[in-house]
Amino acid sequence: QVQPVESGGGWVQAGGSLRLSCAPSSRTALRIDRMSWYRQVLGQQRELVASINFDGTTNLADSVKGRFAISRNKLRDSVYLQMNGLKPEDTAVYYCNYRSMMREYWGQGTQVTVSS
């Protein structure tokens, strides 16, 4: 078992930046195969924003390419989302997700609000 814990959300004006962090609540013996960031707007489906695989390959949603970047600290099983050029449509609850042995582990989420 592993419990991801997010931090770094908040309020920012359009064009600003935020950096989200996610780390396990305690050390884990699990191998994390993939770490991801999802976001969800109330009443809408949760969508994948960015992911980084065990081998370091990354994937970004088209809507955030050129603005967001995902990175990790492999030794600490931590993952980060650097968000630049934020837009009001980026407003959502952002969730950290760990995948290990085909099981998914979710954080509680952190609110990001971008004002115009």
Side-chain angles (χ1 to χ4, degrees):
Q1 291 281 351
V2 60
Q3 178 59 56
V5 179
E6 304 98 338
S7 61
W11 176 89
V12 66
Q13 287 189 323
S17 299
L18 284 174
R19 185 173 186 252
L20 304 183
S21 300
C22 178
S25 59
S26 59
R27 290 179 65 89
T28 178
L30 296 178
R31 188 187 100 154
I32 308 300
D33 299 313
R34 190 183 82 163
M35 296 185 281
S36 304
W37 289 97
Y38 287 75
R39 66 187 182 187
Q40 187 171 24
V41 176
L42 190 63
Q44 298 182 17
Q45 285 192 333
R46 195 170 293 187
E47 65 171 351
L48 177 65
V49 177
S51 62
I52 183 165
N53 295 311
F54 184 80
D55 64 1
T57 56
T58 61
N59 179 54
L60 289 168
D62 287 342
S63 59
V64 305
K65 283 180 180 176
R67 300 188 296 123
F68 292 11
I70 187 169
S71 61
R72 67 177 177 181
N73 182 320
K74 197 174 180 180
L75 292 177
R76 298 183 179 180
D77 287 325
S78 299
V79 62
Y80 310 96
L81 186 67
Q82 179 65 44
M83 304 185 293
N84 300 324
L86 283 160
K87 303 176 180 180
E89 51 262 45
D90 295 317
T91 295
V93 178
Y94 284 70
Y95 295 91
C96 179
N97 171 278
Y98 288 174
R99 178 184 292 176
S100 175
M101 299 293 286
M102 301 305 293
R103 289 191 64 179
E104 307 274 353
Y105 301 90
W106 292 94
Q108 294 297 310
T110 184
Q111 177 71 44
V112 171
T113 302
V114 184
S115 65
S116 58

